[in-house]
Amino acid sequence: MEMEIIFFTTNKNKVKEIKELATAEAKEITIEHREYDYPELQLEEIESVARESAKYMKEKKAIKEPFFLEDSGLLIHALNGFPGPFSAFVFDKIGNEGILKLMVDKRGEERKATFKTVVAFCKSPQKAPLLFVGVAEGKIAEMMRGEGGFGYDPLFEFEGAGKTFAEMSTEEKNEVSHRSMAFRELLNYLS
Ligand code: ITT
């Protein structure tokens, strides 16, 4: 079934990844990017941020067409899941250098981290947002590596790959990333 879905985000890198994935794996779905900066609530969980943001778009902005948005975060195990839902704020304030400093005394298993994306999809104004979660497991590299990707990608070494996300092409990252897993869950639901 042919379908057009709006993707609300201010992050062009997310759009690139999702559009490439949809082109490769779901030709019947057209993604229309709209750059709308909804107020991101500081909630304790990535799920709640995604759900409340979608409700805001549906109720306050009266979006009637099918749309989704997503909230993502990096959860460092030894830091009790920090920066998690505060990933955007923390990236702006201390960046990857700051994260490396927080991790100086952490070795081996202590560097484990999870990348998580929660996609919130609204089919119609009457329906509550549906959530689709994707995770990728890995560890925080000893230093930044790679020129690709964005955000925390130079620091996130994907489990077993020996490569950071920034050392992968968009295609390679899309095979395994948190975002691609969450988006595939949405595609499964739609088909
Ligand atoms: P929108 O909320 O407008 O979609 P954003 O960039 O603010 O865009 P998030 O709050 O979801 O998006 O992102 C939290 C932070 O995590 C932000 O600094 C991103 O750069 C970073 N991030 C998200 N996904 C990432 C990925 O796949 N690889 C590396 N960093 C990522």
Side-chain angles (χ1 to χ4, degrees):
M1 184 185 63
E2 297 277 323
M3 191 175 184
E4 191 175 278
I5 309 180
I6 300 167
F7 180 16
F8 287 108
T9 178
T10 60
N11 187 324
K12 295 205 167 52
N13 301 289
K14 289 185 180 180
V15 179
K16 181 172 192 281
E17 290 182 11
I18 293 287
K19 281 201 168 176
E20 226 182 275
L21 193 63
T23 307
E25 297 181 22
K27 295 205 170 39
E28 67 287 5
I29 291 179
T30 311
I31 306 290
E32 191 202 314
H33 172 217
R34 278 201 213 155
E35 176 139 2
Y36 183 80
D37 200 3
Y38 47 88
E40 192 163 302
L41 304 157
Q42 285 302 340
L43 298 168
E44 298 274 315
E45 280 185 86
I46 296 171
E47 278 82 355
S48 317
V49 177
R51 181 186 289 111
E52 294 308 314
S53 304
K55 276 195 196 161
Y56 176 91
M57 294 309 288
K58 186 163 73 90
E59 287 158 15
K60 299 277 189 297
K61 295 287 146 187
I63 304 299
K64 305 228 166 9
E65 306 97 318
F67 74 88
F68 72 98
L69 48 82
E70 58 106 301
D71 194 53
S72 296
L74 177 67
L75 295 92
I76 302 176
H77 300 194
L79 305 180
N80 288 322
F82 181 85
F86 313 112
S87 290
F89 176 79
V90 169
F91 189 79
D92 288 344
K93 294 289 173 210
I94 66 171
N96 286 329
E97 293 85 357
I99 297 288
L100 281 176
K101 279 192 196 143
L102 292 175
M103 297 297 287
V104 274
D105 60 341
K106 305 282 186 279
R107 301 273 171 276
E109 296 276 293
E110 291 177 327
R111 299 188 75 89
K112 282 192 167 179
T114 303
F115 237 134
K116 183 166 170 180
T117 292
V118 179
V119 165
F121 172 68
C122 283
K123 201 170 193 171
S124 70
Q126 296 80 30
K127 299 250 166 70
L130 292 173
L131 301 188
F132 301 93
V133 183
V135 294
E137 301 297 339
K139 62 178 189 187
I140 303 300
E142 300 284 340
M143 55 181 191
M144 285 186 259
R145 299 195 329 257
E147 303 298 320
F150 66 99
Y152 297 106
D153 279 343
L155 279 192
F156 189 80
E157 196 177 305
F158 182 69
E159 193 171 54
K163 275 186 188 181
T164 67
F165 275 165
E167 291 175 309
M168 297 182 178
S169 63
T170 303
E171 196 184 349
E172 279 176 288
K173 185 180 169 189
N174 269 344
E175 274 171 33
V176 296
S177 79
H178 48 305
R179 175 162 303 101
S180 72
M181 295 301 165
F183 187 64
R184 280 195 192 95
E185 291 289 316
L186 169 63
L187 293 178
N188 276 342
Y189 167 80
L190 292 174
S191 66

